[in-house]
Structure formats: structure tokens, C-alpha cells
Amino acid sequence: MAGTDRGAWSSRLGFILAAAGSAVGLGNIWGFPTQVGQGGGAAFVLVYLMCVALICAPIMVAEVAIGRRAQRDPVTAFRVIRPGTAWWLTGLLGVLAGVGILSFYAVIAGWTVAYIWFTATGAVTGGQQAFGEFFTAFVSNVPVIIGLTLLVLGTTASIIVAGVHGGIERVTKLLMPVLIGLLLLLAIRAVTLPGAENGLAYYMRPDMSRIWDIGVLNAALGQAFFSLSLGMGAMITYGSYLSRRETIGTAVIWVVVLDTGIALLAGFIIFPAGFSIPGFDPATGGPGLIFTVLPRLFATLPGGHLFGAAFFILLAMAALTSTISLLEVPVAHLIDAHGWSRPRAVLVVTGATAVLAIPSALSNGAVPFFTSLPGLGMGFLDLMALIWNNFALPIGGLFVALFVGWAWRIDGALEELQAEGASFPMPAVWGGLLRYVCPIAIGLIIVFTFRAAFGG
Ligand code: PFF
């Protein structure tokens, strides 16, 4: 069935590596601590973990099952499984989300690339204020920021032209263990800094009154979808390259545990290190949080330049394995559904994404209009993150849950999950979560978020 431009993973490990490469990225190390800081600390962490376990993990299984059954891009996949229905619109939403997310993701990945250089050369020095001022000056430098964004997009495109398998598998195999090792080292250093205990308390002792804060619930849900690459068909696409001989259940557990573990680990670095700085306020860091806290942490380490540069190299590589999956969703769609050649699809999608990326690149102080959009009180990049992460991804996930739970039906999906004698743990629990818990929880969170924003 597979078209000529389709590929396949070489093994289940290949799929786990590629899916983990997609999941682990800026979302874990930049996004998660930033969101925890804005969501009030440990309460956010608790809600996040519940979203991952009860909503996102079951949806990831569903996405991979859809992809493997159909062996097609996310739009065509819904058409193959339920022909003649409108479910394919779920896939189309994902294709758009791929472009939308990549447009701002590439900007932040560009910052990461620049910080390899800054830390290696010791360009950022001085007190905490100096780190913050350096970041502010850097992100408002128009030509540099645009150049870096285009560099990230160009690199992603050039890898994707050659096809997804092979390259990503190999990069990720090396990347994951080294990244985890370095993060562990940094966490050990961070928790032994003076004042670190305040950071640990902030991170681990939840303020229970915030658990039902609709803003926190929506942010945690969106962050969980974003971090696990769910709700936009990335896992459908990657599942479509998975062989029927492999066990989906175990593979998904691996990806979820790795991704969540790495995000939690990042928090054990940022908050202890942050709170060791006098007057530190995690809520005000915004997108610059890690770029101001981490260089200071590296400065406290012997050989800090080296550590810092190694860290940002790994983060840039982790971001790249994620941008690849973001671009692959719309590209796979144009190839599978419209018969485009891979190079043509890559060129067109990358060009469109670059255009959409410009306002995000200019929205952190470079151009006042994009930095604070009139009437919205937020920058263009923040607006993109809000639209795609907080709404598009959970809504995409909601439709995936409804599709598998009620249209394809649990029995049909289980046939795929248990194909060729594969074991799948607790099918009834999975079915219940997918049919009832996921749609109701996501639906309520979305409705209440809208009411809080517009209903007063
Ligand atoms: N999961 C990636 C991260 O945490 O950085 C971002 C991402 C990649 C989101 C792919 C969505 C996606 F489809």
C-alpha cells in the first residue's frame, strides 16, 4: 500500500527513538519550566502529571494505532478507516497546527543555537541582571533573530528532504542518554546551591487552591499535548511508518516516561538554580526564563563554558528532532494526499512557515507592534503558542479520542493494538479513558476556558 516516498522504521526501537525525538525538545526544557513558573509551581506539576496519565497517554496509543492501521498521513488516515465521513478534518487541523507550531518553535530553537556560541565564548557574564539584559538585547536584534530562525527551518528542511527514517533514529539514539546524563549532573549542581531548598519547595509542594484554577488546567493540558507531540497527527504520521510486528503499548509507555521524566528533571534544574538568585521570581521570567537562569548556573560550575555549550548543543539537537516531526506532518500530507514529490512539499511548506515565523521572530522587543499586539496585551509568539498549544492540540486530541472511542470503536482499534499476538495492557481501562474521560475532561476545560475569557 505504501507509496514510493514513504519510509519505515528499522525496528521498534527505531519508532521509540523517533517518537521520543519528536516528544523531547524545547517543550520539556524551555516550555515546561516556563509554564510551571507562570502556573504557580507544584500545583501546575500535579495537574500536568494527571493530564499526561489520564488523557495524553491513552490518546498517544490511539494516534499510533490510527497511523499504523492506515499507513497514511493524518488526513488520509481518517479517510481510510472511516471513508465518506468528515473525520478527516481532524487531520487537517493537525496539518495546520504543524505549520503554526513550527513557526514559533523555530524562533526559540534559533535562540538555543545562539546560546551555544554565547556560553562557549563566555559572552554573557556578570550578575543576574546582566544575564537578563543580555537576553533582552539579543532577542531584539532583528537580522540576527531572523537569520537564526531561517537557519533552523533550512536545516530541518534539508534533513526532511532525505526522508524521516535513518537520520532521526541515529541522532536520537546518541542524543537521549547524553542529554539525560547532562541534565542529571546539572540537577545535582542546582540542588546543592545555597537557597535551592526554596526552589524545591516551590516545585514540589502544591498550593492545593490552584488545582482547580481553569487557567492552570488549560495551560497544563496544552503543555502536556505539546510536550508529547499529540493532537496534531505527529504520532499518526510516525505510527504510519511502524511495522505491524511491533507492540504499540510498550513503545508508547517508553515515550511517555522518557518525555515526562526529562521535563521533570528540567524543573529540578531551573527552580533550585533560580531560587538561589536573590529576588528571583519564577513568574516574571516568561520565554526568557531558562536563558537567564541557566547561564548563571553554568557560571557556578568549573568548566562552565564547556558544560553550557554542551547543554545548548544537546538542546538544539533535541529541538531539531522535534522540528523534523513538525514539518513531516504537512509534508507527509502533501505527498500522500496530493501526490506531490517530497522536495516540492518540503520547499512549499518551509516557505510558508518562514513567512509566518517572521512576526514571531520580531515579537520579543524587536518590533513594538508584534511585541504587544494592540487590544490583546500579548506578543505574536505568545499568541501563536496560545492558539496552537492551548486550543488546537487539545481539540485535535478530543477528536482523536472521539474517533477511536466512538467511530472506529475500541474493538476495531484493539485489533490493531493486539495485531500479530502483541500484548496490550488493560484494554478496558484504556477504552474507558478514551471514550469517556478524555472527551469529557478536554471538553470541559476548553468550554470553561472560553467562558473565563469571554463570558466574564
Ligand atoms: N514535543 C515537542 C517538544 O516538546 O518540544 C514539540 C512538538 C513536536 C509538538 C511535534 C507537536 C509536534 F507534533
Side-chain angles (χ1 to χ4, degrees):
M1 286 261 302
T4 45
D5 265 338
R6 305 201 106 256
W9 309 120
S10 51
S11 63
R12 188 181 80 208
L13 185 65
F15 169 78
I16 293 177
L17 286 171
S22 166
V24 175
L26 297 171
N28 306 63
I29 288 160
W30 164 81
F32 182 73
T34 307
Q35 294 288 337
V36 173
Q38 283 165 6
F44 180 95
V45 180
L46 199 64
V47 178
Y48 177 84
L49 292 176
M50 283 172 52
C51 289
V52 168
L54 299 178
I55 299 174
C56 290
I59 290 181
M60 189 181 292
V61 171
E63 283 202 17
V64 179
I66 293 173
R68 196 177 65 175
R69 163 57 64 92
Q71 304 276 304
R72 281 287 182 277
D73 75 285
V75 177
T76 319
F78 288 97
R79 285 210 175 110
V80 168
I81 298 175
R82 281 290 170 267
T85 63
W87 285 105
W88 60 272
L89 287 168
T90 309
L92 190 65
L93 179 68
V95 168
L96 298 177
V99 174
I101 294 177
L102 184 57
S103 78
F104 73 85
Y105 200 92
V107 175
I108 300 151
W111 299 349
T112 310
V113 172
Y115 269 74
I116 300 174
W117 174 254
F118 295 151
T119 40
T121 57
V124 244
T125 46
Q128 183 55 31
Q129 218 185 335
F131 291 113
E133 283 164 5
F134 183 91
F135 177 77
T136 312
F138 160 64
V139 290
S140 43
N141 186 333
V142 177
V144 169
I145 292 296
I146 292 188
L148 287 165
T149 305
L150 296 180
L151 174 74
V152 170
L153 287 176
T155 310
T156 309
S158 62
I159 294 174
I160 274 220
V161 173
V164 274
H165 45 291
I168 316 183
E169 291 183 43
R170 243 173 292 131
V171 169
T172 315
K173 202 181 214 159
L174 198 80
L175 178 72
M176 286 302 159
V178 186
L179 182 66
I180 293 172
L182 195 62
L183 288 173
L184 276 171
L185 261 172
L186 290 173
I188 292 170
R189 172 67 241 196
V191 299
T192 51
L193 287 169
E197 57 289 351
N198 297 330
L200 289 175
Y202 172 84
Y203 190 45
M204 291 165 69
R205 268 200 229 121
D207 166 3
M208 288 312 218
S209 68
R210 294 209 60 179
I211 299 259
W212 296 112
D213 181 331
I214 188 66
V216 171
L217 283 168
N218 182 240
L221 183 71
Q223 174 61 27
F225 270 95
F226 177 65
S227 188
L228 290 163
S229 301
L230 289 178
M232 55 153 276
M235 292 299 163
I236 297 181
T237 308
Y238 276 17
S240 77
Y241 306 126
L242 183 64
S243 140
R244 289 205 83 190
R245 282 190 308 276
E246 312 299 346
T247 312
I248 294 178
T250 343
V252 166
I253 292 173
W254 266 104
V255 176
V256 171
V257 168
L258 257 177
D259 186 74
T260 309
I262 290 179
L264 290 174
L265 200 51
F268 278 107
I269 300 170
I270 298 295
F271 297 107
F275 276 87
S276 77
I277 302 165
F280 173 75
D281 177 2
T284 56
L289 178 69
I290 74 159
F291 296 96
T292 46
V293 169
L294 286 175
R296 186 172 184 277
L297 175 65
F298 299 138
T300 70
L301 284 166
H305 291 331
L306 222 68
F307 267 111
F311 173 84
F312 282 113
I313 289 174
L314 290 172
L315 185 54
M317 284 168 67
L320 194 63
T321 54
S322 301
T323 55
I324 288 170
S325 70
L326 284 162
L327 187 57
E328 179 64 17
V329 172
V331 165
H333 170 60
L334 291 173
I335 295 173
D336 282 353
H338 301 282
W340 287 27
S341 73
R342 187 166 268 277
R344 177 171 174 219
V346 171
L347 198 71
V348 170
V349 179
T350 310
T353 311
V355 172
L356 188 62
I358 304 286
S360 280
L362 302 180
S363 74
N364 291 278
V367 172
F369 178 81
F370 293 125
T371 305
S372 178
L373 293 169
L376 288 175
M378 64 170 83
F380 193 86
L381 192 152
D382 294 334
L383 179 68
M384 282 289 113
L386 187 75
I387 293 175
W388 300 111
N389 297 2
N390 290 27
F391 293 103
L393 296 185
I395 290 172
L398 170 71
F399 285 122
V400 166
L402 290 174
F403 176 77
V404 173
W406 299 92
W408 189 13
R409 305 190 71 87
I410 299 298
D411 285 351
L414 277 177
E415 220 171 84
E416 185 61 41
L417 293 169
Q418 295 169 332
E420 316 217 354
S423 71
F424 180 72
M426 298 190 281
V429 175
W430 176 71
L433 288 172
L434 210 62
R435 282 167 77 104
Y436 303 104
V437 177
C438 295
I440 294 172
I442 299 173
L444 286 176
I445 292 176
I446 299 284
V447 168
F448 278 100
T449 306
F450 265 109
R451 280 212 1 206
F454 302 111

